[in-house]
DNA sequence: ATCCTACGATGGACAGAATCCAAGTCAAGA
DNA sequence: TCTTGACTTGGATTCTGTCCATCGTAGGAT
């Protein structure tokens, strides 16, 4: 999605080579990279890029709603650029592979009022776990 | 749940004072402590207990299926002893408070076969997010 | 085209969470 | 009571992420 760069520019983002490279690395479907993986790939195109910049840029993309932060395993967070199509995640308990999936219905609707305890519930995040074909 | 100790002994656990104390700390409903919190509470009863032992014991309880590991915020994992009654979690996006909740239906059933990509799906973990009454 | 300046990048220090490891201790069976 | 292998210890280490003072530069102003 290269209109990402357009959208960011439209939001007043100062366009630097670092930000451009990070945005380009996060491109395509079923991308779920850790910050370190993003840094490694970005560094292939821009060797001097620092980890701090990658963390900063990812954080900004998340607050802008362009990227979703996913922590499926209590280890490093992963960054999912597929932010404009609601979806959930299916994770292999063995190898960690992640797939985007689309369950039926709206998970939020399954939480009855009497189970909300006065919370203003705004989001439901579902992680399906199991073994992928290669690991089964 | 003090039959926990019985069950563990039945499974061939060597019963040490450290393990006993950790199991006792994880007692009751709506308990969602971090490893460090478990360590702090355990240390009130057994001052010399080390963090490594707490981590080891928690890890064992998790593999035995007696405790569930919950990572709702990308920070420290939390340990939930309510492992024998299926439930999901409702988390305050502001203060981090966690409640056990029981959504209608079985979340697993909402993932159609054609969205499983050959995985053997065994578990669905739902995290509801929103603002708790005090933070709203 | 050049200058300015505020915003962004840098990298090294720091912090929090968890794991590892070699050495010492002890539960529980003989 | 003895023995032994499982358990505990605490300090070092790894991994993930944040902070901060300093330097660099994108892009508007001239």
């Amino acid at each position: 999605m290269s209109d990402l760069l357009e959208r960011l520019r439209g939001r007043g983002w100062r366009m630097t080579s670092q930000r451009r490279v990070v945005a380009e690395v996060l491109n395509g479907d079923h991308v779920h990279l850790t910050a370190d993986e993003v840094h490694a790939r970005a560094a292939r195109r821009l060797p001097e890029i620092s980890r701090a910049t990658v963390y900063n840029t990812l954080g900004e993309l998340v607050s802008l709603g362009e990227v979703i932060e996913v922590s499926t395993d209590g280890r490093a967070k992963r960054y999912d650029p597929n932010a404009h199509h609601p979806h959930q995640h299916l994770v292999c308990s063995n190898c960690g592979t992640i797939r985007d999936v689309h369950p039926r219905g709206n998970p939020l609707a399954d939480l009855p009022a009497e189970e909300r305890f006065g919370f203003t519930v705004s989001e439901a995040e579902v992680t399906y776990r199991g073994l992928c074909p290669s690991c089964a």
Short mmCIF file of all heavy atoms in Angstrom, two decimals, chain C residues 18-29:
data_model
loop_
_atom_site.label_atom_id
_atom_site.label_comp_id
_atom_site.label_asym_id
_atom_site.label_seq_id
_atom_site.Cartn_x
_atom_site.Cartn_y
_atom_site.Cartn_z
P DA C 18 7.62 -11.54 32.52
OP1 DA C 18 6.47 -12.00 31.73
OP2 DA C 18 7.53 -11.41 33.99
"O5'" DA C 18 8.84 -12.50 32.18
"C5'" DA C 18 9.22 -12.63 30.82
"C4'" DA C 18 10.55 -13.35 30.74
"O4'" DA C 18 11.59 -12.57 31.33
"C3'" DA C 18 10.59 -14.71 31.45
"O3'" DA C 18 10.74 -15.70 30.45
"C2'" DA C 18 11.79 -14.60 32.39
"C1'" DA C 18 12.59 -13.45 31.78
N9 DA C 18 13.44 -12.74 32.71
C8 DA C 18 13.06 -12.07 33.85
N7 DA C 18 14.06 -11.52 34.49
C5 DA C 18 15.17 -11.85 33.72
C6 DA C 18 16.53 -11.56 33.86
N6 DA C 18 17.04 -10.85 34.88
N1 DA C 18 17.38 -12.04 32.92
C2 DA C 18 16.86 -12.75 31.90
N3 DA C 18 15.62 -13.09 31.66
C4 DA C 18 14.80 -12.60 32.62
P DT C 19 10.89 -17.24 30.80
OP1 DT C 19 10.13 -17.95 29.77
OP2 DT C 19 10.62 -17.45 32.23
"O5'" DT C 19 12.44 -17.54 30.57
"C5'" DT C 19 13.06 -17.04 29.38
"C4'" DT C 19 14.54 -17.33 29.45
"O4'" DT C 19 15.16 -16.47 30.42
"C3'" DT C 19 14.88 -18.76 29.88
"O3'" DT C 19 15.81 -19.27 28.92
"C2'" DT C 19 15.49 -18.60 31.27
"C1'" DT C 19 16.08 -17.21 31.20
N1 DT C 19 16.21 -16.47 32.48
C2 DT C 19 17.44 -15.98 32.84
O2 DT C 19 18.44 -16.15 32.16
N3 DT C 19 17.46 -15.28 34.02
C4 DT C 19 16.40 -15.03 34.87
O4 DT C 19 16.55 -14.39 35.91
C5 DT C 19 15.14 -15.57 34.43
C7 DT C 19 13.92 -15.35 35.28
C6 DT C 19 15.10 -16.25 33.28
P DC C 20 16.35 -20.77 28.97
OP1 DC C 20 16.51 -21.22 27.58
OP2 DC C 20 15.50 -21.54 29.92
"O5'" DC C 20 17.80 -20.59 29.62
"C5'" DC C 20 18.54 -19.44 29.24
"C4'" DC C 20 19.94 -19.52 29.84
"O4'" DC C 20 19.97 -18.77 31.08
"C3'" DC C 20 20.42 -20.92 30.18
"O3'" DC C 20 21.80 -20.99 29.86
"C2'" DC C 20 20.17 -21.03 31.69
"C1'" DC C 20 20.40 -19.59 32.14
N1 DC C 20 19.63 -19.15 33.33
C2 DC C 20 20.28 -18.37 34.32
O2 DC C 20 21.47 -18.11 34.18
N3 DC C 20 19.56 -17.94 35.39
C4 DC C 20 18.26 -18.23 35.49
N4 DC C 20 17.61 -17.77 36.55
C5 DC C 20 17.58 -19.01 34.50
C6 DC C 20 18.30 -19.45 33.44
P DC C 21 22.60 -22.40 29.77
OP1 DC C 21 23.51 -22.28 28.60
OP2 DC C 21 21.62 -23.52 29.86
"O5'" DC C 21 23.49 -22.43 31.08
"C5'" DC C 21 24.25 -21.28 31.42
"C4'" DC C 21 24.85 -21.43 32.81
"O4'" DC C 21 23.93 -20.89 33.80
"C3'" DC C 21 25.10 -22.88 33.20
"O3'" DC C 21 26.37 -22.97 33.82
"C2'" DC C 21 23.99 -23.19 34.21
"C1'" DC C 21 23.81 -21.82 34.87
N1 DC C 21 22.49 -21.61 35.49
C2 DC C 21 22.39 -20.82 36.65
O2 DC C 21 23.41 -20.33 37.12
N3 DC C 21 21.17 -20.64 37.21
C4 DC C 21 20.10 -21.19 36.65
N4 DC C 21 18.91 -20.98 37.24
C5 DC C 21 20.17 -22.00 35.47
C6 DC C 21 21.38 -22.18 34.92
P DA C 22 27.27 -24.35 33.64
OP1 DA C 22 28.04 -24.18 32.39
OP2 DA C 22 26.43 -25.56 33.85
"O5'" DA C 22 28.26 -24.22 34.88
"C5'" DA C 22 28.66 -22.92 35.32
"C4'" DA C 22 28.70 -22.89 36.84
"O4'" DA C 22 27.36 -22.70 37.35
"C3'" DA C 22 29.21 -24.18 37.48
"O3'" DA C 22 29.98 -23.83 38.63
"C2'" DA C 22 27.93 -24.92 37.85
"C1'" DA C 22 27.02 -23.75 38.24
N9 DA C 22 25.59 -24.00 38.10
C8 DA C 22 24.96 -24.83 37.20
N7 DA C 22 23.65 -24.84 37.31
C5 DA C 22 23.39 -23.95 38.34
C6 DA C 22 22.19 -23.51 38.94
N6 DA C 22 20.98 -23.93 38.56
N1 DA C 22 22.29 -22.62 39.95
C2 DA C 22 23.51 -22.20 40.32
N3 DA C 22 24.71 -22.53 39.84
C4 DA C 22 24.58 -23.43 38.84
P DA C 23 30.75 -24.95 39.53
OP1 DA C 23 32.16 -24.54 39.61
OP2 DA C 23 30.39 -26.33 39.06
"O5'" DA C 23 30.08 -24.73 40.95
"C5'" DA C 23 29.85 -23.40 41.41
"C4'" DA C 23 28.92 -23.45 42.59
"O4'" DA C 23 27.55 -23.65 42.13
"C3'" DA C 23 29.22 -24.60 43.57
"O3'" DA C 23 29.20 -24.10 44.89
"C2'" DA C 23 28.10 -25.60 43.32
"C1'" DA C 23 26.95 -24.66 42.91
N9 DA C 23 25.93 -25.32 42.10
C8 DA C 23 26.12 -26.19 41.06
N7 DA C 23 25.00 -26.62 40.51
C5 DA C 23 24.01 -25.98 41.25
C6 DA C 23 22.61 -26.00 41.16
N6 DA C 23 21.93 -26.75 40.27
N1 DA C 23 21.92 -25.26 42.05
C2 DA C 23 22.60 -24.52 42.94
N3 DA C 23 23.92 -24.41 43.12
C4 DA C 23 24.57 -25.17 42.22
P DG C 24 29.54 -25.08 46.15
OP1 DG C 24 30.55 -24.40 46.97
OP2 DG C 24 29.76 -26.46 45.65
"O5'" DG C 24 28.17 -25.08 46.97
"C5'" DG C 24 27.56 -23.83 47.29
"C4'" DG C 24 26.13 -24.07 47.71
"O4'" DG C 24 25.40 -24.64 46.59
"C3'" DG C 24 25.97 -25.06 48.87
"O3'" DG C 24 25.05 -24.49 49.81
"C2'" DG C 24 25.38 -26.31 48.21
"C1'" DG C 24 24.59 -25.71 47.05
N9 DG C 24 24.36 -26.61 45.94
C8 DG C 24 25.30 -27.28 45.18
N7 DG C 24 24.78 -28.01 44.23
C5 DG C 24 23.41 -27.83 44.37
C6 DG C 24 22.33 -28.37 43.62
O6 DG C 24 22.37 -29.15 42.67
N1 DG C 24 21.10 -27.93 44.11
C2 DG C 24 20.93 -27.06 45.17
N2 DG C 24 19.68 -26.75 45.49
N3 DG C 24 21.93 -26.54 45.86
C4 DG C 24 23.13 -26.97 45.42
P DT C 25 24.63 -25.32 51.16
OP1 DT C 25 24.47 -24.29 52.21
OP2 DT C 25 25.55 -26.46 51.31
"O5'" DT C 25 23.18 -25.89 50.82
"C5'" DT C 25 22.16 -24.98 50.41
"C4'" DT C 25 20.85 -25.73 50.30
"O4'" DT C 25 20.88 -26.59 49.13
"C3'" DT C 25 20.51 -26.62 51.49
"O3'" DT C 25 19.15 -26.37 51.80
"C2'" DT C 25 20.74 -28.03 50.95
"C1'" DT C 25 20.36 -27.85 49.48
N1 DT C 25 20.94 -28.80 48.48
C2 DT C 25 20.08 -29.44 47.62
O2 DT C 25 18.88 -29.30 47.64
N3 DT C 25 20.71 -30.27 46.72
C4 DT C 25 22.06 -30.51 46.60
O4 DT C 25 22.50 -31.28 45.76
C5 DT C 25 22.90 -29.81 47.54
C7 DT C 25 24.37 -30.01 47.51
C6 DT C 25 22.30 -29.00 48.42
P DC C 26 18.51 -26.92 53.18
OP1 DC C 26 17.74 -25.80 53.77
OP2 DC C 26 19.54 -27.64 53.95
"O5'" DC C 26 17.46 -27.98 52.63
"C5'" DC C 26 16.65 -27.62 51.52
"C4'" DC C 26 15.93 -28.85 51.03
"O4'" DC C 26 16.80 -29.63 50.19
"C3'" DC C 26 15.48 -29.80 52.15
"O3'" DC C 26 14.27 -30.39 51.73
"C2'" DC C 26 16.60 -30.82 52.17
"C1'" DC C 26 16.83 -30.97 50.67
N1 DC C 26 18.13 -31.55 50.26
C2 DC C 26 18.19 -32.33 49.10
O2 DC C 26 17.17 -32.52 48.45
N3 DC C 26 19.38 -32.85 48.72
C4 DC C 26 20.47 -32.62 49.44
N4 DC C 26 21.62 -33.15 49.02
C5 DC C 26 20.43 -31.82 50.63
C6 DC C 26 19.25 -31.33 51.00
P DA C 27 12.97 -30.39 52.66
OP1 DA C 27 12.38 -29.04 52.70
OP2 DA C 27 13.37 -31.11 53.90
"O5'" DA C 27 11.99 -31.32 51.82
"C5'" DA C 27 11.71 -30.97 50.46
"C4'" DA C 27 11.30 -32.21 49.68
"O4'" DA C 27 12.47 -32.99 49.35
"C3'" DA C 27 10.34 -33.16 50.39
"O3'" DA C 27 9.49 -33.70 49.38
"C2'" DA C 27 11.27 -34.21 50.99
"C1'" DA C 27 12.45 -34.25 50.01
N9 DA C 27 13.78 -34.39 50.60
C8 DA C 27 14.20 -33.89 51.80
N7 DA C 27 15.47 -34.14 52.06
C5 DA C 27 15.92 -34.83 50.94
C6 DA C 27 17.18 -35.37 50.59
N6 DA C 27 18.25 -35.28 51.36
N1 DA C 27 17.27 -36.00 49.41
C2 DA C 27 16.18 -36.07 48.63
N3 DA C 27 14.94 -35.61 48.84
C4 DA C 27 14.88 -34.99 50.03
P DA C 28 8.25 -34.61 49.75
OP1 DA C 28 7.25 -34.39 48.68
OP2 DA C 28 7.90 -34.40 51.17
"O5'" DA C 28 8.87 -36.07 49.58
"C5'" DA C 28 9.35 -36.48 48.31
"C4'" DA C 28 10.02 -37.83 48.44
"O4'" DA C 28 11.33 -37.68 49.03
"C3'" DA C 28 9.28 -38.82 49.36
"O3'" DA C 28 9.48 -40.10 48.83
"C2'" DA C 28 10.03 -38.69 50.67
"C1'" DA C 28 11.44 -38.61 50.08
N9 DA C 28 12.48 -38.18 50.99
C8 DA C 28 12.34 -37.46 52.16
N7 DA C 28 13.48 -37.23 52.77
C5 DA C 28 14.43 -37.83 51.96
C6 DA C 28 15.82 -37.94 52.06
N6 DA C 28 16.54 -37.41 53.05
N1 DA C 28 16.47 -38.62 51.07
C2 DA C 28 15.74 -39.15 50.08
N3 DA C 28 14.43 -39.11 49.88
C4 DA C 28 13.82 -38.42 50.86
P DG C 29 8.28 -41.14 48.67
OP1 DG C 29 7.42 -40.61 47.60
OP2 DG C 29 7.74 -41.42 50.00
"O5'" DG C 29 9.01 -42.45 48.12
"C5'" DG C 29 9.81 -42.34 46.94
"C4'" DG C 29 11.08 -43.15 47.10
"O4'" DG C 29 11.98 -42.48 48.04
"C3'" DG C 29 10.87 -44.56 47.66
"O3'" DG C 29 11.70 -45.46 46.94
"C2'" DG C 29 11.29 -44.45 49.12
"C1'" DG C 29 12.39 -43.41 49.02
N9 DG C 29 12.63 -42.66 50.25
C8 DG C 29 11.67 -42.02 51.03
N7 DG C 29 12.19 -41.42 52.07
C5 DG C 29 13.56 -41.68 51.97
C6 DG C 29 14.62 -41.29 52.83
O6 DG C 29 14.57 -40.61 53.85
N1 DG C 29 15.86 -41.76 52.37
C2 DG C 29 16.04 -42.52 51.24
N2 DG C 29 17.28 -42.88 50.96
N3 DG C 29 15.04 -42.89 50.44
C4 DG C 29 13.84 -42.44 50.87
#
